[in-house]
Amino acid sequence: MPALSLASSRWSQPVDCLDGFFHSYATVDGVRLHYVSGGNPQAETLVLLAGFPQSWYAWHKVMAQLAKHFFIIAPDLPGQGDSDKPLMGYDTAALAEKAQGLLMQLGVTRYYLAAHDIGAWVAWPYALRYSDQILKMALLDAGIPGVTLPDMLPASPDKAWKTWHFAFHLIPDLPEALIEGRESTYLEWFLRRKTASPMAFSEDDLREYVRLMQQPGALRAGMSPYRQASMSAAQNRALLQEKANCACRCWRSAPIKAPFPIWRHRCVTMPSLCRALRWRTADTLSLKNNRRRWPTPLTPFSAKVSTVNASSPGTHELHA
């Protein structure tokens, strides 16, 4: 059962599009974070992290399907949605610390975690740092800086259109200058072109994301995780080395299995993710073509990880 004693005393407002869910705010290290929570208060907790250019709202249909099975917390990370947009602190270690700070304020210490795009960038170091808290984790549509994200992105026309924005977002000031006043054009292409079905995003969805991108500082904040990707990559490599060293030390005293793998599968729909997150017996969440798979876990800590690519109709293609 989620321990949300602090949450009960917070200001909250019902979510118009989602029965049983509420908007709330919490301040973590001087940064005010917006989050949406609700669902089954007697069930285990599921934390959802969204990516660029989205917010908690990216999960609203998933949240409706899982509300009976989980108590759900979907925060806007710093710079996202209706959260504050500070000038600094967009490397994934710093973002992970803010997410952890929010959950600690809410008294949540054991939970499932699903993350998409930039949210998956944050979830990776989060899992390494706070593995004892995570029951299962699913990462969708993301190459992790310093781990699985290549240093050289493809330049061929059949692939470059999916990843061109990495370099574009890295350039200081230029994206803001070109996108400001044209947020609707940018978002419509970004969301409807880069998904398996352009009908996955309704006009209401686009209006919500335009509203968020037009907030003061939103464009700068949205570009910032890309501009800090090199720092995030260095942090991730250091974390992996630290875990490898720990595994070697532990091996001398007791046999263990070394660093956890990533399973990457295509053709994963959001409904299949919903079903998978309800499976309690799997050691590791792994999805392909709506079927269960049980890979042998190779992990020296408690978080069981699978990376999936949600490129089926009704889901998003590569964004991060």
Side-chain angles (χ1 to χ4, degrees):
M1 181 186 304
L4 293 174
S5 56
L6 287 175
S8 60
S9 62
R10 295 182 185 276
W11 171 90
S12 64
Q13 178 176 317
V15 178
D16 291 338
C17 66
L18 205 55
D19 290 340
F21 286 84
F22 297 87
H23 297 281
S24 300
Y25 289 88
T27 299
V28 179
D29 297 331
V31 178
R32 187 174 71 166
L33 299 180
H34 168 258
Y35 64 97
V36 170
S37 61
N40 183 352
Q42 304 303 317
E44 293 174 298
T45 299
L46 169 63
V47 178
L48 301 173
L49 302 180
F52 179 86
Q54 296 172 290
S55 65
W56 78 270
Y57 184 80
W59 301 102
H60 71 282
K61 293 182 181 179
V62 175
M63 293 163 73
Q65 294 186 55
L66 293 178
K68 293 181 180 179
H69 306 280
F70 292 94
F71 186 84
I72 300 170
I73 302 172
D76 288 335
L77 294 167
Q80 280 185 343
D82 289 304
S83 288
D84 280 355
K85 295 154 182 65
L87 295 175
M88 298 180 293
Y90 293 97
D91 58 278
T92 53
L95 294 172
E97 287 177 4
K98 294 295 189 294
Q100 169 70 0
L102 172 63
L103 295 180
M104 291 301 97
Q105 283 197 29
L106 299 180
V108 179
T109 57
R110 293 284 284 173
Y111 42 88
Y112 296 85
L113 176 63
H116 170 245
D117 188 76
I118 296 294
W121 286 17
V122 176
W124 179 271
Y126 189 102
L128 288 177
R129 290 181 169 208
Y130 311 113
S131 59
D132 58 326
Q133 300 177 20
I134 299 174
L135 297 167
K136 296 179 186 177
M137 182 172 76
L139 307 181
L140 292 82
D141 291 350
I144 307 301
V147 183
T148 60
L149 184 67
D151 291 331
M152 299 294 292
L153 294 171
S156 59
D158 61 323
K159 296 180 180 179
W161 69 271
K162 298 180 181 180
T163 56
W164 64 272
H165 62 285
F166 280 83
F168 179 57
H169 291 175
L170 280 169
I171 303 170
D173 302 326
L174 182 62
E176 293 92 321
L178 295 178
I179 296 171
E180 186 173 357
R182 305 175 183 87
E183 293 89 353
S184 180
T185 301
Y186 182 76
L187 287 169
E188 183 171 3
W189 186 93
F190 202 90
L191 295 175
R192 286 184 167 166
R193 184 66 182 88
K194 288 170 63 63
T195 191
S197 170
M199 292 184 290
F201 292 94
S202 68
E203 291 299 321
D204 287 341
D205 296 337
L206 288 175
R207 279 192 290 270
E208 170 65 5
Y209 292 128
V210 168
R211 177 187 74 82
L212 296 174
M213 188 169 278
Q214 289 178 338
Q215 292 181 350
L219 273 170
R220 169 190 50 77
M223 307 296 135
S224 292
Y226 296 92
R227 294 168 183 169
Q228 296 297 313
S230 294
M231 180 186 294
S232 298
Q235 293 168 347
N236 287 341
R237 286 190 289 265
L239 282 170
L240 284 175
Q241 185 61 52
E242 179 184 336
K243 288 294 179 182
N245 291 341
C246 178
C248 289
R249 289 194 297 271
C250 293
W251 179 262
R252 297 189 186 103
S253 58
I256 68 166
K257 300 194 176 178
F260 68 84
I262 307 170
W263 288 276
R264 306 192 66 163
H265 299 301
R266 302 187 65 82
C267 300
V268 178
T269 63
M270 286 298 183
S272 68
L273 175 62
C274 293
R275 290 193 295 274
L277 285 168
R278 296 202 296 268
W279 300 335
R280 295 292 193 272
T281 58
D283 286 326
T284 304
L285 169 63
S286 184
L287 310 172
K288 186 173 183 180
N289 297 331
N290 299 336
R291 296 195 301 272
R292 301 186 220 188
R293 289 175 177 260
W294 313 123
T296 301
L298 301 173
T299 167
F301 56 89
S302 59
K304 309 301 190 290
V305 182
S306 174
T307 297
V308 297
N309 190 316
S311 56
S312 295
T315 67
H316 317 303
E317 231 178 45
L318 179 67
H319 283 195

